[in-house]
Amino acid sequence: MQFAIGDTDFLLDGSPFRVLSGALHYFRVHPGQWADRIRKARQMGLNTIETYVAWNAHAPAPGTFRLDGGLDLGRFLDLVAAEGMYAIVRPGPYICAEWDNGGLPAWLFAESGVRRNDPAFLEAVGGYLAELAPVLVPRQVTEGGPVILVQAENEYGAYGADKDYLRAIVKLLRGSGITVPLTTVDQPVGSMLADGSLPDLH
């Protein structure tokens, strides 16, 4: 199956597809309630679940990466698929989301300048995405999974305007095996939309 962004529509296997999405952040919901909440979203008429990925929840210390219990993103996405729904995944690395440090691990601040074209930061992001790749890559819609879109960064235009940084994030996402369309999200206020987007991304 293929998902694409056409001139006027989202396209699922070449046919117009209306994305009706609601946010459900797996790391904020008890895993025993995931299936119920996803089912209720479908019963509301939604066809897609959107979730952030909180890097600092998965990696509380350098060299650790948790994907168990309430952080089992793979199981969460499998439950989305089991309900016949699609998924939009927003791994950041910065997510905001009214979450501590916008999802950036606290240990990262001692090692690099965050959210910029800093080699140490980008190396850490690459490691983070490499940990997520075994979860996300086989669950893309092209592989029979639910993931149709992945977001690069989050509301970056409210923070900076470094296009080289945004292009580096895109390169890391693509290098990790993400092939579905990428998107940016920014507020249409002042220069934020222009500063936080790239011309080749939706």
PDB file of all heavy atoms in Angstrom, residues 12 49 64 102 127 132-133 144 160 179 199:
ATOM      1  N   LEU A  12      -4.290   7.441  -0.987  1.00  0.00           N
ATOM      2  CA  LEU A  12      -4.038   6.102  -0.478  1.00  0.00           C
ATOM      3  C   LEU A  12      -4.194   5.147  -1.648  1.00  0.00           C
ATOM      4  O   LEU A  12      -5.292   5.013  -2.210  1.00  0.00           O
ATOM      5  CB  LEU A  12      -5.010   5.757   0.652  1.00  0.00           C
ATOM      6  CG  LEU A  12      -4.707   4.505   1.465  1.00  0.00           C
ATOM      7  CD1 LEU A  12      -3.348   4.601   2.163  1.00  0.00           C
ATOM      8  CD2 LEU A  12      -5.804   4.251   2.493  1.00  0.00           C
ATOM      9  N   ILE A  49      -4.760   7.737  14.139  1.00  0.00           N
ATOM     10  CA  ILE A  49      -4.284   8.133  15.470  1.00  0.00           C
ATOM     11  C   ILE A  49      -2.940   8.825  15.302  1.00  0.00           C
ATOM     12  O   ILE A  49      -2.050   8.328  14.616  1.00  0.00           O
ATOM     13  CB  ILE A  49      -4.114   6.917  16.397  1.00  0.00           C
ATOM     14  CG1 ILE A  49      -5.456   6.233  16.669  1.00  0.00           C
ATOM     15  CG2 ILE A  49      -3.428   7.321  17.701  1.00  0.00           C
ATOM     16  CD1 ILE A  49      -6.424   7.035  17.509  1.00  0.00           C
ATOM     17  N   THR A  64      20.719   4.110  27.430  1.00  0.00           N
ATOM     18  CA  THR A  64      19.528   3.310  27.722  1.00  0.00           C
ATOM     19  C   THR A  64      18.425   3.697  26.750  1.00  0.00           C
ATOM     20  O   THR A  64      18.330   4.849  26.323  1.00  0.00           O
ATOM     21  CB  THR A  64      19.028   3.539  29.155  1.00  0.00           C
ATOM     22  OG1 THR A  64      18.591   4.902  29.292  1.00  0.00           O
ATOM     23  CG2 THR A  64      20.123   3.274  30.171  1.00  0.00           C
ATOM     24  N   GLY A 102      10.213  19.412  26.415  1.00  0.00           N
ATOM     25  CA  GLY A 102       9.717  19.139  25.073  1.00  0.00           C
ATOM     26  C   GLY A 102      10.142  17.784  24.566  1.00  0.00           C
ATOM     27  O   GLY A 102      10.236  17.544  23.358  1.00  0.00           O
ATOM     28  N   GLY A 127      21.275   8.527  16.937  1.00  0.00           N
ATOM     29  CA  GLY A 127      21.188   7.358  17.805  1.00  0.00           C
ATOM     30  C   GLY A 127      19.772   7.081  18.262  1.00  0.00           C
ATOM     31  O   GLY A 127      19.336   5.923  18.323  1.00  0.00           O
ATOM     32  N   LEU A 132      14.554   3.867  17.314  1.00  0.00           N
ATOM     33  CA  LEU A 132      13.148   3.830  16.898  1.00  0.00           C
ATOM     34  C   LEU A 132      12.938   3.069  15.594  1.00  0.00           C
ATOM     35  O   LEU A 132      11.846   2.555  15.346  1.00  0.00           O
ATOM     36  CB  LEU A 132      12.607   5.254  16.726  1.00  0.00           C
ATOM     37  CG  LEU A 132      12.293   6.059  17.970  1.00  0.00           C
ATOM     38  CD1 LEU A 132      11.737   7.421  17.584  1.00  0.00           C
ATOM     39  CD2 LEU A 132      11.301   5.326  18.881  1.00  0.00           C
ATOM     40  N   ALA A 133      13.970   3.014  14.765  1.00  0.00           N
ATOM     41  CA  ALA A 133      13.823   2.429  13.432  1.00  0.00           C
ATOM     42  C   ALA A 133      13.232   1.015  13.435  1.00  0.00           C
ATOM     43  O   ALA A 133      12.314   0.728  12.652  1.00  0.00           O
ATOM     44  CB  ALA A 133      15.165   2.460  12.698  1.00  0.00           C
ATOM     45  N   GLY A 144       2.892  -2.717   5.090  1.00  0.00           N
ATOM     46  CA  GLY A 144       1.692  -3.350   5.620  1.00  0.00           C
ATOM     47  C   GLY A 144       1.288  -2.866   6.996  1.00  0.00           C
ATOM     48  O   GLY A 144       0.360  -3.400   7.598  1.00  0.00           O
ATOM     49  N   GLY A 160      13.398  28.791  15.904  1.00  0.00           N
ATOM     50  CA  GLY A 160      14.525  29.177  15.067  1.00  0.00           C
ATOM     51  C   GLY A 160      14.168  29.174  13.598  1.00  0.00           C
ATOM     52  O   GLY A 160      13.009  28.997  13.222  1.00  0.00           O
ATOM     53  N   THR A 179      10.353   6.045   4.913  1.00  0.00           N
ATOM     54  CA  THR A 179      10.095   6.332   3.501  1.00  0.00           C
ATOM     55  C   THR A 179       8.746   6.997   3.253  1.00  0.00           C
ATOM     56  O   THR A 179       8.519   7.537   2.171  1.00  0.00           O
ATOM     57  CB  THR A 179      10.170   5.047   2.657  1.00  0.00           C
ATOM     58  OG1 THR A 179       9.197   4.111   3.144  1.00  0.00           O
ATOM     59  CG2 THR A 179      11.563   4.423   2.737  1.00  0.00           C
ATOM     60  N   PRO A 199      10.650  23.657   1.747  1.00  0.00           N
ATOM     61  CA  PRO A 199       9.825  23.689   0.533  1.00  0.00           C
ATOM     62  C   PRO A 199       9.452  22.311   0.004  1.00  0.00           C
ATOM     63  O   PRO A 199       8.430  22.168  -0.668  1.00  0.00           O
ATOM     64  CB  PRO A 199      10.669  24.466  -0.477  1.00  0.00           C
ATOM     65  CG  PRO A 199      12.054  24.453   0.066  1.00  0.00           C
ATOM     66  CD  PRO A 199      11.930  24.346   1.548  1.00  0.00           C
TER      67      PRO A 199
END
